[in-house]
Amino acid sequence: MPSTEAKALVRVAVGVVCDDEHRILIARRAEQRHQGGLWEFPGGKIEEGETLAQALVRELHEELGIDVAPERCEPLMTIEHDYGDKAVRLEVCWVRQFQGVPTGKEGQPLRWIDVADLNDYAFPKANDAIVEAIQGA
């Protein structure tokens, strides 16, 4: 009999970080993490009491070492996806202005890629709609 217990929805702040050449920053997930080995748009879990912008500013600083003003986080979309073992709500923002040079502070490889090349990278299934939105922008 299927379980009727509802999974907790994990809220995740996601940044579509762009540079002056309109390239997008992607990071490769560590192998041991959920959806490990796939590429992703930087971000992380929204903590209790944080707004989307606060979480994104914190996560981008922790993961990439860049500073973003909260008012520079422009909402793009929200996606809910159930992986079976985990359900997520991705709250996605454009980040077109930041200070600093992004580096993989957690050892994760980073790449700046052209929008046209997004389909050449394997992303978690929940990211498909983000890729489509970026390509349509």
Side-chain angles (χ1 to χ4, degrees):
M1 180 183 336
S3 171
T4 57
E5 185 178 315
K7 267 182 231 140
L9 193 63
V10 179
R11 290 181 62 212
V12 180
V14 177
V16 178
V17 180
C18 307
D19 69 5
D20 292 338
E21 298 173 33
H22 306 290
R23 295 178 304 170
I24 307 294
L25 184 68
I26 60 172
R28 192 161 183 264
R29 294 183 63 79
E31 291 292 335
Q32 69 275 17
R33 295 184 64 201
H34 184 262
Q35 300 291 306
L38 299 177
W39 291 88
E40 68 178 349
F41 302 97
K45 186 176 173 190
I46 300 172
E47 300 294 342
E48 186 73 32
E50 277 185 318
T51 66
L52 168 58
Q54 289 168 334
L56 192 55
V57 166
R58 177 183 52 75
E59 286 287 346
L60 294 179
H61 182 76
E62 289 173 2
E63 285 186 23
L64 305 175
I66 62 174
D67 294 315
V68 177
E71 63 273 11
R72 297 294 182 194
C73 301
E74 176 188 333
L76 172 62
M77 66 193 320
T78 299
I79 300 160
E80 289 190 11
H81 187 82
D82 188 339
Y83 285 104
D85 61 335
K86 186 179 211 175
V88 295
R89 175 183 291 139
L90 305 181
E91 299 181 33
V92 187
C93 292
W94 287 107
V95 178
R96 293 187 172 105
Q97 293 182 338
F98 57 89
Q99 302 248 327
V101 177
T103 56
K105 306 278 282 178
E106 299 171 347
Q108 73 277 33
L110 303 178
R111 290 208 181 137
W112 286 106
I113 63 170
D114 292 324
V115 170
D117 295 332
L118 283 169
N119 291 330
D120 296 341
Y121 293 85
F123 289 90
K125 191 72 178 152
N127 287 231
D128 289 353
I130 302 171
V131 170
E132 288 177 25
I134 294 169
Q135 290 173 330

